[in-house]
């Protein structure tokens, strides 16, 4: 009964979405307030129905109801409860339901918080949002119904793929989807603006916070996924330029560009047309990512051709939304008024440069990801585009961008003074140069690229701090005054500084681990000692153990510095019984920001011998911590009163009490 | 069989971005100790070359990272050629002659990959050109921003009279 309720709620949600697709839009055209108001109600009702449907699927998984095909295929009665819940979205049908649930959530949020929006804009936005919901609900109901029954019901389920049985599954997909799908709001606003043929101040004030929310979640989601792959995979890689990773990275790149261009639009009402286009492109890349992951086209073009139902459906959705919105853009963009003028050397100019490089990087990743597929289809030629290609193209595109990042926030709007900015940055540049020389001296000149990379990271970190210090007036006024001024700075200033600081931290982690990591692959017998990361690591032996739904060989290692015992570590290989699938559970010891990483290979022929892989990964955690700092920057910026619509009166009062230093 | 199952599962259960990566490579028992060459310099070259060659039966994995049997065979082949005295380029050419361009994770620059390699350059230049042209167009539209000499004199006079 619960399962049927879930299915029924899903069908009702489709009906509600259809209503929402038409009535508010019609209301906006006819100027009928009551019709426009239906958008708010249907958006909230639709979300509640989707939530009910999702709750029903969760219940079926928690109760191990194997009469449901989806539960049978992805669950097992012996599976720990956490994975029974997270297993709901650890499969195609359930994850699509989560996708639509989040889509509904964002729609409901706009409906709930959008009281101050112009009524016609809000009605248009909610209708466009409902178009997307309708398309994906049709997709789920027609090709991927999670509530499909199975008769007769089997006694036991096939269990969830073991590599997914990890706490990462509880966090990573929801975060990623909140990011992916969150860009739908920017898309809906863009399409609504094109339908209306005008963009006003409310538009920009609204789009930026929503984009920021999506961007924060996507940043955290990608970082989380990267760390998950890092520890679960068993060989310490954290970015693979895999097409599926690229699918989430492309919206991040263009979403980052969108954040910056929306800033120009909000402050200076310039770059309007470009911002609208970027909003469309960003969500289009999200849709493309969904297509790539969901259609099976990545496995091979031919696998896609043999079972094309799902793939063709999503491809159709992709074509309709991307093609439709771009066509609308082509027809209506000319109607949008272009905004303010600015000199090339200005804050706006810097942000245009940012957009230029980020968009080019996104295009490079896009073409690199799709090229093998397209070439195979068009010419029948098989080529591979992998990590070496992306490293060679993406890297050179990012370097110039990173090098100019510290200048951006120091330039004034409209017409900036490059020399003045450079003068304020001389200390940061000097210190970065010292870092380069120090690294060169430390490596005896052996690692020039590493030295330059770490210098660039230092430049980014120090540059973002310079911005804050300059705004607070350190060095110009008494320290107490400067500290008070620092505390009084608008939160968005901290947002910018933190986001750029995070970028530097991530870069530092990347350069450090790429150039200074050590790797050791060897066969060890109990009692044998190897050296890594300044430790002597003694292999003590392997023990067989039984988990709830797996059996494992756990190897113990003793860490010694000289003759002192420092710690013990454990590393295991598991065999999940239901699927007879092995996984590695790497032993990881974090030491400040660096990690010692031990993974087990195959067991040796004679008793206790095993293949062991030991990595010392200096500063590796900075790769992800940097992303967390970036997200914190986003949160700081989001909490700025200036971004909250409906709060101008209070922020003006605060501004009177505590004058902000001129930017 | 297990590998096939893994791939098959991957097709079904690509829940989210990183998962596919996890799936397609887990558990990665890449380079084995018994494959490694005694000469560290030669072994380092072998690792470098392996990282650029695709495991032909895998999804976007290098032979250096893959656990597939084929990847192991290719790793051994690379090392055999190196021991025989081939240069890095000769080893790569040898693999391409045997398995086609598909084996290269960084495709060669030819007319078929022109659009691939050209994308970053073309997009960057086109974007920069477009930005410049629209900036110049807007500036022209806005008309001359500086004052004519007569206007400047009048402003000067007005400012003075205000003192």
């Amino acid at each position: 009964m619960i399962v049927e309720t879930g299915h029924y709620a899903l069908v009702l949600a489709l009906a509600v979405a259809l209503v929402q697709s038409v009535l508010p839009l019609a209301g906006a055209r006819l100027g009928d307030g009551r019709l426009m108001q239906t958008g708010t109600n249907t958006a909230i009702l639709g979300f509640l129905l989707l939530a009910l449907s999702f709750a029903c699927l969760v219940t079926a998984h928690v109760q191990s109801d194997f009469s449901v095909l989806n539960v049978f295929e992805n669950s097992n009665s012996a599976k720990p409860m956490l994975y029974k819940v997270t297993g709901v979205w650890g499969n195609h049908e359930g994850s699509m339901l989560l996708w639509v649930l989040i889509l509904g959530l964002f729609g409901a949020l706009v409906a709930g918080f959008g009281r101050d929006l112009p009524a016609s804009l809000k009605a248009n936005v909610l209708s466009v949002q409902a178009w997307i919901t309708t398309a994906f609900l049709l997709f789920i109901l027609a090709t991927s119904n999670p509530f499909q029954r199975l008769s007769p019901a089997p006694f036991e389920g096939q269990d969830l793929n073991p590599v997914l049985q990890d706490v990462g599954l509880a966090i990573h997909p929801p975060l990623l989807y909140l990011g992916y799908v969150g860009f739908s709001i920017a898309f809906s606003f863009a399409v609504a603006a094109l339908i209306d043929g005008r963009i006003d101040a409310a538009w920009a004030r609204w789009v930026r916070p929503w984009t920021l929310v999506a961007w924060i979640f996507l940043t955290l989601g990608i970082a989380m996924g990267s760390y998950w792959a890092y520890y679960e995979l068993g060989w310490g890689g954290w970015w693979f330029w895999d097409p599926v990773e690229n699918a989430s990275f492309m919206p991040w790149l263009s979403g980052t560009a969108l954040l910056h261009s929306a800033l120009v639009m909000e402050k200076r009402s310039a770059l309007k047309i470009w911002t609208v286009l970027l909003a469309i492109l960003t969500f289009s890349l999200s849709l493309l990512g969904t297509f790539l992951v969901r259609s099976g086209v990545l496995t091979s073009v031919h696998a896609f051709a043999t079972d094309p139902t799902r793939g063709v459906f999503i491809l159709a959705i992709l074509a309709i939304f991307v093609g439709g919105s771009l066509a609308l853009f082509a027809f209506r963009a000319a109607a949008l008024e272009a905004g303010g003028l600015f000199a090339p050397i200005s804050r706006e100019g810097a942000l245009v440069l940012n957009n230029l490089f980020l968009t080019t990087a996104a295009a490079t990743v896009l073409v690199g990801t799709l090229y093998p597929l397209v070439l195979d289809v068009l010419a029948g030629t098989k080529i591979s585009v992998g990590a070496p290609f992306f490293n060679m193209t993406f890297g050179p595109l990012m370097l110039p961008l990173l090098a100019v990042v510290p200048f951006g926030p120091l330039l004034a709007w409209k017409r900036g003074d490059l020399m003045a900015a450079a003068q304020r940055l001389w200390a940061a540049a000097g210190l970065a140069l010292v870092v380069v020389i120090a690294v060169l001296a430390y490596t005896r000149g052996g690692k020039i690229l590493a030295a330059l990379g770490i210098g660039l990271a230092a430049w980014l970190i120090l540059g973002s701090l310079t911005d804050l210090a300059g705004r607070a007036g350190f060095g110009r006024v008494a320290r107490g005054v400067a500290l008070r001024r620092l505390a009084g700075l608008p939160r968005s200033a901290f947002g910018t500084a933190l986001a750029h600081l995070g970028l530097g931290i991530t870069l530092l982690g990347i350069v450090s681990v790429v150039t200074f990591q050590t790797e050791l692959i060897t066969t060890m017998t109990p009692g044998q000692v190897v050296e890594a990361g300044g430790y002597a690591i003694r292999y003590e032996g392997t023990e067989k153990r039984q988990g709830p739904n797996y059996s494992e060989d756990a190897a113990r290692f003793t860490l010694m510095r000289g003759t002192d015992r420092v710690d013990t570590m454990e590393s295991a290989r598991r065999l999940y019984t239901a699927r007879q699938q092995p996984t590695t559970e790497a032993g990881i010891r974090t030491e400040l920001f660096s990690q010692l990483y031990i993974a087990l290979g195959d067991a040796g022929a004679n008793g206790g011998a095993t293949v062991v892989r030991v990595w010392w990964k200096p500063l590796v955690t900075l790769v992800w911590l940097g992303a967390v700092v970036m997200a914190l920057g986003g949160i700081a910026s989001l909490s700025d009163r200036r971004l909250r619509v409906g709060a101008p009166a209070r922020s003006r009062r605060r501004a009177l009490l505590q004058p902000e230093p001129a930017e | 069989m297990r590998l096939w199952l893994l791939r098959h599962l991957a097709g079904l259960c690509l829940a989210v971005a990183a998962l596919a990566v996890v799936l397609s490579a887990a558990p990665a028992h890449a380079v084995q100790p018994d494959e490694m060459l005694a000469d560290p310099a030669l072994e380092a070259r072998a690792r470098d070359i392996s990282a650029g060659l695709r495991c032909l039966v895998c999804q976007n994995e290098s032979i250096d990272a893959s656990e597939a049997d084929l990847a192991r065979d290719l790793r051994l082949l690379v090392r055999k050629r190196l021991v025989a005295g081939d240069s890095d380029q000769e080893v790569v050419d040898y693999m391409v002659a045997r398995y086609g361009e598909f084996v290269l994770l960084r495709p060669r620059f030819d007319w078929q990959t022109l659009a691939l390699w050209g994308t970053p350059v073309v997009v960057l230049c086109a974007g920069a050109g477009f930005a410049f042209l629209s900036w110049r167009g807007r500036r022209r539209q806005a008309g001359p921003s500086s004052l004519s000499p007569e206007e400047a004199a009048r402003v000067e006079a007005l400012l003075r009279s205000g003192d």
Side-chain angles (χ1 to χ4, degrees):
Chain A
M1 190 55 200
I2 291 172
V3 175
E4 277 66 37
T5 308
H7 194 179
Y8 187 61
L10 206 56
V11 179
L12 276 185
L14 173 64
V16 170
L18 280 169
V19 173
Q20 191 188 330
S21 300
V22 181
L23 290 192
L25 188 71
R29 303 307 287 172
L30 303 171
D32 184 329
R34 277 174 308 167
L35 278 181
M36 287 194 260
Q37 176 61 28
T38 57
T40 306
N41 302 338
T42 47
I44 292 169
L45 178 64
F47 169 65
L48 292 177
L49 285 168
L50 286 170
L52 173 66
S53 179
F54 192 76
C56 291
L57 188 62
V58 174
T59 311
H61 272 261
V62 167
Q63 292 178 339
S64 294
D65 183 352
F66 297 127
S67 73
V68 179
L69 182 65
N70 186 258
V71 181
F72 164 71
E73 281 176 345
N74 299 291
S75 194
N76 185 288
S77 55
K79 193 168 71 167
M81 182 50 77
L82 174 67
Y83 306 140
K84 281 187 182 173
V85 176
T86 60
V88 172
W89 55 79
N91 60 80
H92 170 80
E93 291 83 2
S95 76
M96 282 319 298
L97 191 57
L98 178 67
W99 207 101
V100 178
L101 176 70
I102 291 174
L103 193 64
L105 170 70
F106 276 106
L109 287 176
V110 171
F113 288 113
R115 270 174 244 120
D116 303 320
L117 270 177
S120 69
L121 176 63
K122 184 180 175 185
N124 283 336
V125 167
L126 288 176
S127 274
V128 176
Q129 193 77 7
W131 298 349
I132 310 170
T133 315
T134 305
F136 277 90
L137 278 175
L138 277 174
F139 171 71
I140 293 179
L141 288 167
T143 73
S144 320
N145 181 7
F147 297 107
Q148 182 99 44
R149 288 281 196 182
L150 188 63
S151 178
F155 285 108
E156 192 50 277
Q158 293 175 330
D159 206 357
L160 181 66
N161 193 323
V163 290
L164 301 183
Q165 296 192 25
D166 187 276
V167 67
L169 184 64
I171 310 166
H172 172 59
L175 281 180
L176 201 67
Y177 280 12
L178 282 166
Y180 247 45
V181 180
F183 286 128
S184 67
I185 299 290
F187 174 84
S188 295
F189 268 89
V191 173
L194 290 173
I195 291 174
D196 258 1
R198 68 194 167 89
I199 302 184
D200 45 24
W203 194 92
R205 277 220 313 275
W206 266 82
V207 165
R208 200 159 84 85
W210 287 106
T211 309
L212 201 51
V213 169
W215 180 87
I216 291 166
F217 282 119
L218 192 59
T219 306
L220 290 174
I222 292 175
M224 176 66 215
S226 160
Y227 187 63
W228 184 14
Y230 166 80
Y231 71 71
E232 182 71 35
L233 211 74
W235 63 281
W238 41 268
W239 192 258
F240 308 88
W241 292 110
D242 186 274
V244 182
E245 278 176 321
N246 293 349
S248 67
F249 194 45
M250 290 184 280
W252 188 87
L253 287 170
S254 68
T256 309
L258 175 61
L259 269 186
H260 289 88
S261 78
L263 191 69
V264 177
M265 191 174 153
E266 188 196 0
K267 296 273 162 79
R268 300 270 310 129
S269 76
L271 299 188
K272 278 184 187 172
I273 297 170
W274 170 241
T275 304
V276 167
L277 180 62
L278 210 49
I280 290 175
L281 289 179
T282 301
F283 185 62
S284 299
L285 289 171
S286 290
L287 285 178
L288 178 75
T290 308
F291 166 70
L292 287 178
V293 177
R294 289 283 141 231
S295 66
V297 72
L298 290 175
T299 325
S300 90
V301 178
H302 307 288
F304 173 70
T306 47
D307 181 19
T309 347
R310 285 176 177 171
V312 168
F313 206 117
I314 306 188
L315 194 60
I317 294 179
L318 187 69
I320 291 169
F321 279 94
V322 178
S325 55
L326 288 180
L328 189 65
F329 177 80
F331 281 119
R332 303 292 295 233
L336 304 176
E337 252 175 82
L341 282 169
F342 54 86
I345 302 289
S346 61
R347 183 84 67 89
E348 294 96 317
L351 291 166
V352 167
L353 193 72
N354 151 303
N355 270 234
L356 182 61
F357 278 95
L358 283 176
T359 314
T360 307
T364 305
V365 177
L366 175 71
V367 172
T369 308
L370 295 184
Y371 209 80
L373 294 176
V374 174
L375 199 62
D376 192 9
V377 171
L378 292 185
T381 316
K382 282 190 175 299
I383 64 159
S384 307
V385 179
F389 169 82
F390 291 108
N391 290 338
M392 197 171 167
T393 49
F394 186 79
L397 276 175
M398 280 300 108
L399 289 181
L401 177 61
L402 294 178
V404 299
V405 160
F407 285 98
L410 295 181
L411 292 174
W413 292 105
K414 212 169 171 189
R415 184 182 294 278
D417 185 347
L418 197 58
M419 281 317 291
Q423 270 169 9
R424 285 170 62 187
L425 282 166
W426 71 264
L431 282 171
L433 199 64
V434 170
V435 169
V436 172
I437 293 167
V439 175
L440 277 178
Y442 177 71
T443 58
R444 303 211 172 96
K447 308 236 178 191
I448 295 169
L449 282 177
L452 291 177
I454 290 175
L456 183 60
W459 163 243
L460 274 170
I461 293 170
L462 295 166
S464 57
L465 295 178
T466 303
D467 177 32
L468 276 187
R471 280 162 186 256
F474 282 103
R476 292 199 308 272
V477 296
R479 195 181 302 159
V481 178
L483 276 176
R484 238 174 301 136
R485 274 204 205 167
L486 185 71
L489 284 183
R491 299 233 184 107
S492 62
F494 284 102
T496 307
L498 278 174
H500 292 171
L501 181 75
L503 206 56
I505 293 174
T506 294
L507 181 68
L508 180 60
I510 292 174
V511 175
S512 164
V513 76
V514 165
T515 50
F516 293 113
Q517 94 167 354
T518 64
E519 180 193 50
L520 190 79
I521 304 170
T522 183
T523 307
M524 289 181 89
T525 49
Q528 201 175 329
V529 176
V530 294
E531 305 249 335
Y535 291 107
I537 302 163
R538 190 171 68 214
Y539 171 46
E540 303 291 356
T542 302
E543 179 192 357
K544 282 203 185 306
R545 279 195 306 227
Q546 200 64 41
N549 52 349
Y550 59 84
S551 60
E552 68 176 357
D553 292 337
R556 270 175 303 109
F557 297 88
T558 306
L559 260 61
M560 293 175 302
R561 213 182 274 281
T563 51
D564 302 334
R565 250 183 73 145
V566 181
D567 200 0
T568 58
M569 278 176 75
E570 199 180 273
S571 180
R573 52 176 168 260
R574 282 187 187 166
L575 185 69
Y576 279 78
T577 12
R579 294 195 179 209
Q580 287 295 306
Q581 189 175 328
T583 67
T584 50
E585 299 296 314
I588 299 176
R589 185 176 192 271
T590 308
E591 203 167 294
L592 203 58
F593 298 119
S594 308
Q595 287 187 328
L596 186 66
Y597 189 112
I598 303 182
L600 290 192
D602 294 332
N606 52 339
T610 181
V611 171
V612 178
R613 296 187 164 78
V614 183
W615 285 273
W616 172 248
K617 294 184 172 287
L619 303 186
V620 67
T621 56
L622 293 186
V623 175
W624 308 289
L625 287 177
V628 172
V629 174
M630 281 185 233
L632 285 176
I635 292 169
S637 179
L638 197 61
S639 71
D640 194 303
R641 290 205 69 84
R642 289 191 296 191
L643 267 188
R644 277 184 266 154
V645 182
R650 272 177 66 187
S651 76
R652 216 175 290 136
R653 209 180 319 144
R654 211 194 71 183
L656 279 178
L657 288 172
Q658 204 168 40
E660 285 160 1
E663 282 174 21
Chain B
M1 178 63 197
R2 194 169 60 70
L3 251 182
W4 174 85
L5 192 68
L6 260 173
R7 301 298 159 227
H8 193 66
L9 278 173
L12 281 173
C13 320
L14 293 182
V16 273
L19 299 194
V21 186
V22 174
L23 284 171
S24 57
H29 299 164
V31 183
Q32 299 292 325
D34 60 2
E35 298 169 5
M36 293 162 72
L37 300 173
D39 178 358
L42 219 51
E43 175 62 22
R45 279 172 60 201
R47 296 295 299 272
D48 274 351
I49 296 172
S50 305
L53 296 176
R54 178 187 181 131
C55 159
L56 302 161
V57 296
C58 311
Q59 258 189 63
N60 195 44
E61 254 185 295
S62 74
I63 60 170
D64 194 54
S66 171
E67 54 150 350
D69 291 338
L70 175 76
R72 180 181 163 87
D73 294 343
L74 296 187
R75 283 195 299 267
L76 289 172
L77 192 57
V78 165
R79 285 169 173 78
K80 207 171 104 186
R81 300 303 309 174
L82 281 175
V83 170
D86 280 10
S87 71
D88 292 4
Q89 192 54 50
E90 281 167 348
V91 176
V92 172
D93 289 343
Y94 176 80
M95 299 300 275
V96 171
R98 248 181 111 152
Y99 300 101
E101 299 246 344
F102 187 57
V103 81
L104 297 176
L105 280 171
R106 194 180 73 203
R108 286 183 172 158
F109 181 82
D110 56 28
W111 65 270
Q112 268 191 329
T113 58
L114 193 66
L116 176 69
W117 286 105
T119 297
V121 183
V122 171
V123 173
L124 194 66
C125 294
F130 181 76
F132 175 73
L133 286 179
S134 57
W135 171 73
R136 210 179 54 176
R138 294 288 312 286
R139 203 182 52 164
R140 281 218 187 117
Q141 237 173 39
S145 59
S146 56
L147 302 173
S148 63
E150 300 87 62
E151 284 170 330
R154 270 186 65 199
V155 168
E156 189 82 347
L158 278 169
L159 281 172
R160 241 178 242 150
S161 66
D163 280 342

